[in-house]
Amino acid sequence: MKIAIIGAGCSGLTAIKNLAEAGLTDIVCYEKNSQIGGNWVYSAAPGHSSVSEATHIISSKAMSQLNDFPMPDDYPDYPSHQQILAYFQAYARHFQLNTFIRFNTTVLRVEKIENERWRLYLDDGTRPEFDYLLVANGHHSVPRHPDWQHHFAGKYMHAHDFKTSQGLEGKRVLMVGAGNSGCDCAVESSRVAARVDISLRSAQYIIPKFIMGRPTDAFAASFHWLPQVVQNWLQKLSLRIQIGRYRDYALPEPDFPPARAHPTINSTLFDRIRHGKVHPRPGIEKISGQRVHFVDGSAADYEVVIAATGYKISFPFFDRALIDWEQATQIPLYLRIFHPDHPSLFFVGLIQPQGAIWPLTDLQSQLIAQLLTHRIQLPSNWRELAIAEGKYWQQQFILHPRHALEVHYHRYRQQLLKLTRSPA
């Protein structure tokens, strides 16, 4: 049994570890960069997919660490990107994962061949073939640009390329989008820019990192067993106590339950707004030169526009006729892993949980390893379940490509645990 893995980021590492631990040792993981870590390898180079210089995780240490490899005791509640990279480097050393990885090797193309097998076309000219393929290339590498990208005459950039506030000194900056990247970029820009405005096309739950003195995700986990309607009420009540009303910050009030959209976890934005360092604006109507017209009839001139408008689900190595989910709002995968048309193809980390992703990719990888070693079997109707599951998750969230990969952390975790033999 020959197994290929694409990507040695955090998802790829948990895949290698669990497959090898199950006795599946004919594994090759292809990583296009020179080291493990994926987006957590910081680089200031434009176009390189990485965190920004000031990034800290938005899920807490307690909820993000892997069950069999806890983070160091001296790590803070929200570790920095340097600490996260060091954590996964230590994880790779501890489980001797580097022996399975071929660095500086790009998978140019993947072709499905006879008997449900896969041929990989590598940039070194070789074409190895495998019985199974695990895709762990991440989903934050190909920016989704707005339609008006080329209408702006000043400096335009996507949040993907925002690494530092250097170069924004004294500039008038418009941040478009109030997701996690958008709020982080707005906060960092406001430290040096002459003015920073942030444009929100729709209401957004922006949630502080601590509630009642506890990390937000740990606080929420304490009542995840309650009915969803009760959870929503408690979350809204705790937010009202913690920050007041969103309109107190000139932000639009959400008219939907917190669980219907991916939350933005950011404490600093509220402080920057109330100190006059970040100014909320409504959605954009049109752009003429460097002048931006907003839907409320107001307009302003900017020297820099930064678009935090999300990412496409991209697999550059697959033919679009095989898989193309760039514009999808529904992903038909059983347990977000198994493709109904390709039983020897598995996806690891192709999720956007309302919580930490790494414990979930660890469980995904355990499930795949147990399946390949015949410790478990998928339900006989798993292909039908894949279609139904895609529709189910689509209905749980606001209809938008941003939520195509969204899952409720605890509900999804229980789905995985139900099928695996994991005691966790």
Side-chain angles (χ1 to χ4, degrees):
M1 187 186 300
K2 297 185 65 176
I3 304 170
I5 302 172
I6 300 178
C10 308
S11 299
L13 292 178
T14 59
I16 300 170
K17 182 261 184 185
N18 283 288
L19 292 176
E21 203 168 62
L24 302 167
T25 57
D26 198 350
I27 306 166
V28 183
C29 178
Y30 297 103
E31 170 54 50
K32 65 180 181 180
N33 296 311
S34 61
Q35 59 176 305
I36 62 100
N39 287 344
W40 293 97
V41 180
Y42 171 73
S43 171
H48 178 82
S49 293
S50 81
V51 293
S52 67
E53 188 176 39
T55 297
H56 285 243
I57 61 174
I58 58 172
S59 54
S60 67
K61 175 179 77 171
M63 299 296 290
S64 301
Q65 62 193 0
L66 299 168
N67 286 332
D68 56 357
F69 198 78
M71 291 187 187
D73 292 338
D74 62 350
Y75 271 27
D77 285 316
Y78 292 95
S80 68
H81 68 84
Q82 295 97 331
Q83 291 171 316
I84 293 300
L85 179 59
Y87 169 69
F88 279 105
Q89 288 171 336
Y91 178 81
R93 286 194 301 271
H94 179 78
F95 293 107
Q96 301 180 345
L97 305 182
N98 283 9
T99 57
F100 298 98
I101 303 172
R102 282 190 55 185
F103 293 104
N104 299 307
T105 305
T106 301
V107 178
L108 301 176
R109 186 161 66 92
V110 172
E111 178 185 29
K112 190 175 183 182
I113 57 177
E114 66 280 351
N115 299 320
E116 294 292 335
R117 301 180 75 247
W118 302 91
R119 179 181 294 128
L120 276 56
Y121 293 76
L122 309 179
D123 62 351
D124 63 3
T126 60
R127 300 178 180 181
E129 296 180 1
F130 296 90
D131 300 296
Y132 294 95
L133 174 62
L134 279 68
V135 176
N137 67 319
H139 49 90
H140 289 128
S141 59
V142 180
R144 186 184 298 277
H145 294 280
D147 296 337
W148 45 258
Q149 173 186 355
H150 300 293
H151 297 173
F152 183 63
K155 180 180 179 181
Y156 167 88
M157 63 189 300
H158 192 277
H160 174 265
D161 293 316
F162 182 95
K163 305 302 175 71
T164 173
S165 59
Q166 185 177 359
L168 299 179
E169 295 86 350
K171 305 287 188 184
R172 291 177 60 86
V173 178
L174 175 63
M175 189 72 234
V176 181
N180 287 292
S181 296
C183 289
D184 283 348
C185 292
V187 166
E188 291 308 309
S189 300
S190 71
R191 303 189 193 283
V192 300
R195 180 183 173 99
V196 174
D197 291 358
I198 183 168
S199 170
L200 290 79
R201 185 170 57 181
S202 57
Q204 178 79 34
Y205 277 101
I206 302 173
I207 301 172
K209 284 191 166 183
F210 294 92
I211 293 181
M212 307 295 188
R214 298 175 62 191
T216 296
D217 55 1
F219 175 82
S222 63
F223 51 82
H224 76 86
W225 52 274
L226 292 169
Q228 190 62 58
V229 65
V230 179
Q231 292 185 51
N232 289 335
W233 181 83
L234 287 172
Q235 288 172 342
K236 294 179 79 169
L237 176 63
S238 63
L239 283 171
R240 179 69 59 82
I241 294 170
Q242 185 91 345
I243 65 172
R245 297 179 183 274
Y246 285 102
R247 61 172 175 258
D248 297 334
Y249 304 86
L251 294 166
E253 291 282 353
D255 60 359
F256 52 87
R260 288 278 292 167
H262 192 73
T264 297
I265 311 299
N266 193 300
S267 298
T268 313
L269 183 73
F270 300 111
D271 176 82
R272 303 305 283 178
I273 290 174
R274 295 297 283 269
H275 283 80
K277 298 299 184 181
V278 175
H279 309 268
R281 303 296 293 259
I284 295 172
E285 181 179 8
K286 65 177 181 177
I287 295 179
S288 302
Q290 288 185 233
R291 193 161 186 80
V292 178
H293 298 261
F294 299 97
V295 295
D296 64 351
S298 63
D301 294 324
Y302 300 95
E303 295 161 278
V304 181
V305 169
I306 305 171
T309 45
Y311 295 85
K312 298 177 181 179
I313 303 172
S314 177
F315 308 106
F317 38 80
F318 281 139
D319 188 292
R320 286 182 180 272
L322 187 75
I323 293 176
D324 180 13
W325 292 328
E326 282 196 0
Q327 305 299 328
T329 57
Q330 181 184 130
I331 305 298
L333 294 175
Y334 177 54
L335 295 178
R336 296 299 214 197
I337 301 171
F338 306 100
H339 197 296
D341 298 330
H342 310 292
S344 57
L345 172 65
F346 312 127
F347 293 89
V348 182
L350 193 63
I351 50 174
Q352 184 76 31
Q354 296 186 340
I357 189 173
W358 304 320
L360 298 181
T361 63
D362 194 30
L363 283 175
Q364 287 180 330
S365 301
Q366 288 179 35
L367 194 155
I368 295 168
Q370 292 174 16
L371 178 71
L372 295 183
T373 54
H374 308 294
R375 293 182 60 201
I376 62 169
Q377 289 184 334
L378 299 184
S380 59
N381 63 336
W382 70 269
R383 289 178 171 84
E384 291 80 7
L385 291 174
I387 306 301
E389 189 176 309
K391 295 178 180 177
Y392 168 79
W393 286 119
Q394 183 188 50
Q395 294 167 357
Q396 295 301 301
F397 305 100
I398 294 172
L399 189 63
H400 192 277
R402 180 191 186 203
H403 296 126
L405 302 177
E406 199 80 7
V407 294
H408 294 305
Y409 178 91
H410 296 286
R411 196 177 307 171
Y412 179 68
R413 181 175 180 271
Q414 288 304 314
Q415 282 185 286
L416 296 176
L417 288 173
K418 185 177 180 180
L419 192 57
T420 68
R421 295 173 182 266
S422 173

